[in-house]
Amino acid sequence: FTKFGLDSGTVDFVGHALALYDNDAYLAKPAIELVDRCKLYGESFARYGKSPYLYPLYGLGELPQAFARLAAVYGGTYMLHKPVDKVVYNASGEACGVVSVGEDGQPAFASCKFIVGDPTYFADKCRKT
């Protein structure tokens, strides 16, 4: 940045507003990373119009709704407001389903090939990095 005579305000703007870095570590990284991020920002701005960011028109509630629609289209199951009593694992240690409360109030098993969930559901399988 100093080679091009940019002042600190411009450097901060490019690094944080355009390249979306959350700290100043980008100053010590190769310039190509910053250039690629700025390029993505510009391409997104050109594609989406007034803003380079995707934001649901009617609020963030549309994100889970879109996920539920895609799950339905591709044969997935989306469980809302259902407590997960436990995650069931197969013999090789892979998640294969969940036990929850059914509509009749009894425990119900839902099998699956893939689970998307908060890490707190898999506390014994997660490690802090």
Side-chain angles (χ1 to χ4, degrees):
F1 292 106
T2 53
K3 179 179 179 178
F4 298 104
L6 299 175
D7 68 348
S8 63
T10 303
V11 173
D12 282 345
F13 179 79
V14 170
H16 298 293
L18 298 180
L20 299 178
Y21 283 105
D22 60 356
N23 58 40
D24 288 341
Y26 69 94
L27 295 170
K29 293 182 179 180
I32 191 66
E33 292 180 28
L34 180 107
V35 170
D36 286 343
R37 287 177 140 206
C38 289
K39 181 180 173 201
L40 177 63
Y41 181 91
E43 289 169 352
S44 298
F45 203 97
R47 173 174 284 172
Y48 301 115
K50 296 179 183 179
S51 172
Y53 309 110
L54 291 177
Y55 189 83
L57 188 60
Y58 299 106
L60 295 177
E62 285 188 57
L63 294 176
Q65 180 183 15
F67 188 84
R69 285 182 180 170
L70 281 173
V73 168
Y74 291 101
T77 301
Y78 192 78
M79 297 171 57
L80 291 173
H81 301 294
K82 291 283 186 182
V84 174
D85 294 330
K86 73 175 184 174
V87 177
V88 179
Y89 299 95
N90 62 18
S92 62
E94 298 170 338
C96 63
V98 295
V99 175
S100 183
V101 178
E103 297 300 320
D104 59 358
Q106 298 297 317
F109 174 73
S111 65
C112 63
K113 294 180 183 177
F114 189 81
I115 297 175
V116 177
D118 189 274
T120 57
Y121 290 111
F122 316 101
D124 58 328
K125 299 287 184 180
C126 295
R127 69 178 190 279
K128 200 169 197 170
T129 58

